[in-house]
Amino acid sequence: KHLVSFADCDFSSTLTNVSFFDFVGGVQLLQGEDTRTVLPVILIGICVSGAVGNLLVLLIFLRDFRNGKGSEVKALLASLASTDLVILLLCAPVRAVTYYKQTWTLGSFVCSTTDWFQHSCVVAKTLVLAVTTRAKHTLVPSATGPLYCPTWMHGALAFIWIVSMMFPIPQMLFASLVPHGRDTICVSEMPVCASVFMRLFYKIYPTATFVVPVIFTLAYYTKALHTAVNHAPSPQHQSKVTLVLLCLSGALGLMLLPEWGTFTWIRLGYNKPPVGLIIFAQVLLYACSSLSPVILMTMYDDVRQGLVTIWFSATCRGSKHLHSNKCPQTEENGAEVGANAVPNAVSKEMEKTFPDVEHFWTGRRNTHVEESQDPVPWEREEKISGVKAGQ
């Protein structure tokens, strides 16, 4: 009872030249203080947690490439994490502000581009995961440089983003501001003259950018995982990476299905879906971007090891700040304790060993001794007698 339905906003019946009506940038004209506060809080929580996770993943991959441990799969997963980070930092806050204000307050430019930009990022995510089926899991050669990336990957990413930005162009063309009392709302209104072509387009668009790539990716990694486990000579590492990519593709397909379903449902002119379902689909879209780094950190061995390394580096650096000389030698860091203990013990023993002998040799160094002052004259006499006997 706290949500306004599409029937309550009878814009489509008053605008005879419009074939369908939809809100842009989040459902507006919501009623109820609980909806106004709960939804922004949920979205902000998803944004913060997801942004931190994706930043850590990017930091780990950058560190691997600098150390010569990068691969083509890691480069594409870094691109995926960057796209998720953009969605969480630029798209989700727009929905949070819209749900809080209940009207549109971000201007006409954001109204025209917000859905187009979000769809571009979502399509790019799906296509990047599909391209990982072409990438190799092996490490790049160190001779090619720490940030080596094949030429085909640059071309593939450029092609993906061009396609991803071109397909959602109607989202930008049909978006506009509409006055509603003293306020304004951001809506998408498709004219009747374009309805025939756009109905065909909205059947091709989700199929080409979501359904086909997801089915292809899931099928490929399912087959690859079966082959790696049963037929590969050393299947352990390859099967783990394949399982990670399979889980990423499955999570993306399941969590984006409600968003694509409601999107197509509205554009094809069927009965309007419930507003609660639309909001749930949008929340799942942002939760998908926050779930990807969790999957990588828990299932991908290289990312998990990199996370542990970053954690120990951060704690050690913090300990050095507290203790200016060195990191505290704890039980968990036994190797460091042993490595430091040996040279310290040796140096202490050297300081305690025979100080009088050291003084004796220091005093005799570079010292000229006269024959009359020779402390051991019998040695010289023995040498002289030995020479005479030889003669």
Side-chain angles (χ1 to χ4, degrees):
K1 64 181 179 180
H2 297 291
L3 299 177
V4 62
S5 65
F6 287 97
D8 296 333
C9 301
D10 196 12
F11 293 101
S12 57
S13 61
T14 58
L15 300 175
T16 57
N17 292 328
V18 175
S19 61
F20 83 88
F21 170 88
D22 186 24
F23 288 110
V24 173
V27 181
Q28 296 143 61
L29 304 179
L30 294 174
Q31 300 173 359
E33 290 298 324
D34 51 352
T35 304
R36 181 180 182 181
T37 55
V38 170
L39 284 176
V41 170
I42 293 175
L43 291 178
I44 291 173
I46 292 174
C47 288
V48 173
S49 59
V52 172
N54 284 289
L55 282 174
L56 286 175
V57 169
L58 287 174
L59 184 62
I60 292 169
F61 285 146
L62 181 61
R63 180 179 175 274
D64 287 346
F65 272 96
R66 286 182 174 177
N67 294 335
K69 298 180 180 179
S71 65
E72 295 178 4
V73 170
K74 288 183 180 179
L76 292 174
L77 290 179
S79 176
L80 183 69
S82 302
T83 307
D84 285 331
L85 187 64
V86 170
I87 291 175
L88 293 172
L89 295 181
L90 298 182
C91 299
V94 173
R95 269 69 180 175
V97 172
T98 301
Y99 287 133
Y100 178 75
K101 295 292 186 179
Q102 300 181 350
T103 56
W104 189 260
T105 58
L106 300 176
S108 59
F109 177 77
V110 179
C111 174
S112 301
T113 58
T114 178
D115 272 17
W116 166 79
F117 184 73
Q118 178 171 290
H119 269 255
S120 299
C121 295
V122 171
V123 173
K125 284 180 55 177
T126 308
L127 297 181
V128 166
L129 275 177
V131 170
T132 56
T133 60
R134 164 74 170 76
K136 297 179 181 178
H137 302 175
T138 55
L139 300 180
V140 298
S142 58
T144 56
L147 296 177
Y148 167 77
C149 191
T151 304
W152 76 266
M153 193 177 300
H154 293 288
L157 290 175
F159 176 77
I160 284 173
W161 278 102
I162 291 173
V163 171
S164 302
M165 290 181 177
M166 289 181 63
F167 260 111
I169 286 178
Q171 301 299 105
M172 183 169 50
L173 296 178
F174 298 143
S176 60
L177 292 176
V178 175
H180 180 71
R182 296 181 178 179
D183 302 317
T184 57
I185 57 175
C186 183
V187 298
S188 178
E189 301 172 342
M190 185 174 66
V192 176
C193 60
S195 60
V196 176
F197 172 78
M198 294 309 300
R199 283 177 65 88
L200 178 62
F201 173 80
Y202 284 127
K203 292 178 181 178
I204 298 175
Y205 172 46
T207 304
T209 59
F210 175 72
V211 177
V212 173
V214 167
I215 293 177
F216 168 76
T217 308
L218 291 175
Y220 176 85
Y221 283 121
T222 302
K223 181 180 178 181
L225 182 62
H226 180 269
T227 304
V229 171
N230 295 298
H231 303 289
S234 56
Q236 185 175 6
H237 177 71
Q238 183 178 354
S239 60
K240 286 184 178 180
V241 177
T242 305
L243 181 61
V244 171
L245 296 173
L246 178 62
C247 291
L248 279 176
S249 303
L252 182 139
L254 290 176
M255 299 185 76
L256 294 184
L257 182 60
E259 171 67 18
W260 282 106
T262 54
F263 173 83
T264 309
W265 188 347
I266 296 172
R267 265 70 184 172
L268 294 183
Y270 301 118
N271 294 330
K272 302 299 182 182
V275 179
L277 178 60
I278 297 175
I279 296 175
F280 175 72
Q282 293 180 359
V283 173
L284 275 185
L285 186 149
Y286 304 120
C288 179
S289 297
S290 298
L291 181 63
S292 297
V294 176
I295 294 176
L296 292 175
M297 291 179 186
T298 55
M299 299 184 64
Y300 200 177
D301 291 341
D302 293 347
V303 176
R304 188 169 61 248
Q305 293 172 4
L307 184 63
V308 172
T309 303
I310 291 177
W311 171 258
F312 278 117
S313 299
T315 54
C316 183
R317 192 173 294 113
S319 300
K320 284 182 178 179
H321 180 71
L322 295 176
H323 307 281
S324 57
N325 293 330
K326 57 184 178 180
C327 289
Q329 299 175 355
T330 59
E331 295 180 359
E332 290 82 5
N333 201 4
E336 183 180 0
V337 175
N340 293 331
V342 174
N344 291 337
V346 172
S347 62
K348 291 180 181 178
E349 291 296 330
M350 292 296 293
E351 294 175 0
K352 296 179 181 179
T353 304
F354 306 115
D356 52 343
V357 175
E358 182 181 1
H359 175 72
F360 171 75
W361 287 108
T362 303
R364 289 181 60 86
R365 188 179 298 120
N366 297 328
T367 304
H368 179 71
V369 181
E370 300 291 339
E371 292 184 2
S372 60
Q373 299 177 352
D374 192 348
V376 283
W378 57 86
E379 293 181 357
R380 184 170 181 275
E381 293 176 358
E382 290 178 357
K383 291 181 180 179
I384 295 173
S385 60
V387 170
K388 290 180 177 181
Q391 292 177 352

